[in-house]
Amino acid sequence: MASSIFSDCSSARLLPLRLALLPPRPPRLRLCPALPPPMRLLVAARPLLLPRPHRMDSPPAATASSADSATVSADMPAKVIDGKLVAKQVREEIAVEVARMKDAIGVVPGLAVILVGSRKDSQTYVRNKKKACEAVGIQSFEVNLPEDSSEEEVIKHIASFNSDPSVHGILVQLPLPRHMNDENILNAVGIEKDVDGFHPLNIGRLAMQGRDPFFVPCTPKGCMELLHRSGVEIKGKRAVVIGRSNIVGMPAALLLQKANATVSIVHSQTKNPEEITRQADIVIAAVGVANLVRGNWIKPGAAIIDVGINPVDDPESPRGYRLVGDVCYEEASKVAGAITPVPGGVGPMTIAMLLANTLESAKRIHNFN
Amino acid sequence: MASSIFSDCSSARLLPLRLALLPPRPPRLRLCPALPPPMRLLVAARPLLLPRPHRMDSPPAATASSADSATVSADMPAKVIDGKLVAKQVREEIAVEVARMKDAIGVVPGLAVILVGSRKDSQTYVRNKKKACEAVGIQSFEVNLPEDSSEEEVIKHIASFNSDPSVHGILVQLPLPRHMNDENILNAVGIEKDVDGFHPLNIGRLAMQGRDPFFVPCTPKGCMELLHRSGVEIKGKRAVVIGRSNIVGMPAALLLQKANATVSIVHSQTKNPEEITRQADIVIAAVGVANLVRGNWIKPGAAIIDVGINPVDDPESPRGYRLVGDVCYEEASKVAGAITPVPGGVGPMTIAMLLANTLESAKRIHNFN
């Protein structure tokens, strides 16, 4: 995996940010001629996901001390934030908590997934979620409905899960078939089981001081968890979020703001994204444009969280393409203080956070701490 | 009024922004020794509040062409955005629309205000709202409850207004007595009559792309209206909001972001507020610290909207104090391209926007365009 994340960004077209919303197509990239030195893995010792780690029965898996993580190499100064390892650690912590809850009050957290239609990618996602649930002891419920189902049928199943006490989280796999209104369907999910955290009421509570959302949307929550566990200080820091989608960019900005960063959102209408990004101690890139963020956009020592997962042509790969982030990793990793790779950075965190939200929901519903 | 807004900021303590949340106390300021030249008033010709101004029976009151407003004086380059005049213009437009609605479908918009206790300032605000309603033809309803009322009593009155078809907007005057939970009471207001726009569901819809709030909170809406009517371009511009309160700063930032500005929020934890503010083409200051924003914080030509209303000691005033904004007007007006005075800037817009929201609500409920 390590080798596949490096690419030579110099030959990539630098897409203007305003083109970011056009339908994606793989840009052609040359492979990096020489592989860089092996990544140094960084996982901070303190687990921040669970409020009371001292209650856990076993210590977190692989960890490195923050002193160790401060080492700097001339060739590759950035510490690599290994999302795969952090996600594994989070899942292990969740498994411990799920077992503790079952032992204490006999309740097993439950996640219901509703899949409409037979898209191969959606089926894979749903299968992965199910597996991830099973691995940590969360019960999973699944409903598969045919492509031509009516909105009413989907909503009927949601209503049934809303009132089912063994279900603590409900997830409707997106995208839905075109004849359905996403908003109507997502709004049918009870706010106290909306583990995706996309309900406007939830987003409003996320935006407001003195209010807390029921759930933090999974991918932005994963970004914050990576920052926290890597020991990146947020309070008082300049943060730039590139992209303002409802599911990543906007909630990520609200979370950074809640954590007392000074936040700027860069988007398709921003005239000088590189200049603004260069001021940031923390960058979250979530715009969906391969290698948009170049090395000269990065402030030396900044922490870079790359949410983008973009396919680019790669004749040397068996699949003919490979995945790169929104950040030109090869360039940025020479300037940044810490950086997530793609794949293996934010990606694995999303499902881990979905499990965390489901556990959190079960704890809240059953008033279990 | 014009003379009272100028002050010599040089003698004012420059409060660190992190002190902004401390209880306010009037800083001592010397009066400006010489009065500056008379303000030039700026009101752009196009009314943006009402979707179809061509339907209005009479043209807006005092207006100046945008060519006129571009004149620059060496002594006092900033165009003064006269909120009193704009608010008057808005109220006149609302009166025309209220009359048109009554003529067409026989519906009169209604605003209900609930006042608990007998705070003098709250009584004054409620009286002013009532007068403003009467002046534009909006029917006002009022309930005065004693200080020691229970939460249940207040909520009972809210419920009654929620179901009253002649009421289109409900406003609970804040602050409420200490024994009441603001959140419980405000959440009782039906979302479709929440003309204050403070409900988290509303804020969430404001934050999300592709969603629209039922109502935009009045003061931030007033800020945007002043920018629009002054011909300030927002799309693609850098905007800085100073302060992140739920009722002004945060929703103002969301509105600027929805209008495609690149927005940064500066707050009490921001380390270099002046440096960030100096990058902004548009500044909305809403932090509640007298004269915090100095001339050297301002980018030449920027548009400055000053929401602050802070009392400062003034022995020469009959009341012993006078009101100044968060922006040091005397300094900023020499650098900015356009600026709101205090008083007479954002202040008068808040009630005007409350009337606008009430009208909008009545139109929506009765499907009237």
Side-chain angles (χ1 to χ4, degrees), chain A residues 40-42 64-73 76-79 230 337-338:
Chain A
R40 279 172 300 112
L41 301 181
L42 168 77
S65 76
S66 57
D68 178 54
S69 69
T71 327
V72 166
S73 136
M76 177 67 67
K79 299 174 286 191
S230 308

Side-chain angles (χ1 to χ4, degrees), chain A residues 113 115 119-134 140 142 144 173 351:
Chain A
V113 180
L115 172 64
R119 282 178 65 117
K120 288 275 171 275
D121 55 349
S122 293
Q123 285 172 336
T124 305
Y125 294 139
V126 169
R127 198 164 47 241
N128 289 344
K129 285 167 188 168
K130 201 173 171 181
K131 266 193 220 165
C133 280
E134 282 164 8
S140 71
E142 201 183 323
N144 292 296
Q173 183 65 44
I351 288 189

Side-chain angles (χ1 to χ4, degrees), chain A residues 30-335:
Chain A
R30 274 183 297 140
L31 279 174
C32 183
L35 289 179
M39 296 190 292
R40 279 172 300 112
L41 301 181
L42 168 77
V43 187
R46 72 192 151 107
L48 293 174
L49 169 72
L50 302 167
R52 290 190 286 176
H54 61 275
R55 284 211 180 184
M56 292 190 299
D57 297 328
S58 61
T63 59
S65 76
S66 57
D68 178 54
S69 69
T71 327
V72 166
S73 136
D75 283 348
M76 177 67 67
K79 299 174 286 191
V80 177
I81 301 173
D82 184 345
K84 222 169 161 180
L85 192 60
V86 176
K88 181 170 174 283
Q89 198 174 327
V90 169
R91 287 196 310 269
E92 285 167 356
E93 292 164 17
I94 291 171
V96 169
E97 285 292 286
V98 167
R100 185 172 72 85
M101 192 175 180
K102 190 177 173 186
D103 286 352
I105 60 168
V107 171
V108 175
L111 174 67
V113 180
I114 296 175
L115 172 64
V116 188
S118 50
R119 282 178 65 117
K120 288 275 171 275
D121 55 349
S122 293
Q123 285 172 336
T124 305
Y125 294 139
V126 169
R127 198 164 47 241
N128 289 344
K129 285 167 188 168
K130 201 173 171 181
K131 266 193 220 165
C133 280
E134 282 164 8
V136 297
I138 291 179
Q139 200 178 354
S140 71
F141 300 82
E142 201 183 323
V143 166
N144 292 296
L145 297 170
E147 178 82 19
D148 60 354
S149 306
S150 68
E151 246 179 68
E152 291 65 36
E153 281 173 274
V154 181
I155 290 174
K156 200 186 72 187
H157 284 282
I158 293 174
S160 148
F161 285 135
N162 277 338
S163 57
D164 183 342
S166 53
V167 171
H168 305 96
I170 302 169
L171 190 141
V172 180
Q173 183 65 44
L174 299 177
L176 286 161
R178 282 171 183 271
H179 67 279
M180 291 186 183
N181 180 322
D182 287 15
E183 197 176 333
N184 291 347
I185 288 180
L186 294 179
N187 283 353
V189 176
I191 184 82
E192 77 289 357
K193 296 189 180 182
D194 173 36
V195 282
D196 254 344
F198 295 155
H199 194 287
L201 182 56
N202 218 26
I203 298 291
R205 294 172 69 106
L206 190 62
M208 294 171 89
Q209 288 198 80
R211 305 281 181 105
D212 287 307
F214 291 96
F215 300 100
V216 173
C218 301
T219 302
K221 181 172 181 160
C223 296
M224 297 299 285
E225 196 65 29
L226 288 175
L227 288 171
H228 287 314
R229 295 200 182 217
S230 308
V232 175
E233 204 189 339
I234 300 176
K235 181 176 168 182
K237 298 294 179 186
R238 289 289 299 276
V240 163
V241 176
I242 307 176
R244 50 175 170 172
S245 69
N246 288 344
I247 58 173
V248 188
M250 181 269 294
L254 297 176
L255 282 168
L256 287 165
Q257 149 79 33
K258 239 185 166 81
N260 289 316
T262 298
V263 185
S264 307
I265 302 185
V266 160
H267 51 75
S268 57
Q269 303 295 328
T270 300
K271 283 176 184 154
N272 46 354
E274 62 285 4
E275 190 190 309
I276 300 172
T277 307
R278 207 153 37 227
Q279 296 174 2
D281 305 298
I282 298 164
V283 176
I284 295 185
V287 74
V289 179
N291 294 321
L292 175 78
V293 179
R294 307 295 297 260
N296 62 0
W297 290 38
I298 309 285
K299 178 178 175 177
I304 313 294
I305 305 291
D306 189 353
V307 183
I309 302 180
N310 312 290
V312 294
D313 286 349
D314 180 2
E316 291 178 33
S317 155
R319 294 177 300 185
Y321 73 94
R322 63 205 169 79
L323 300 175
V324 301
D326 292 349
V327 178
C328 177
Y329 186 91
E330 192 189 12
E331 291 179 7
S333 60
K334 289 176 184 154
V335 188

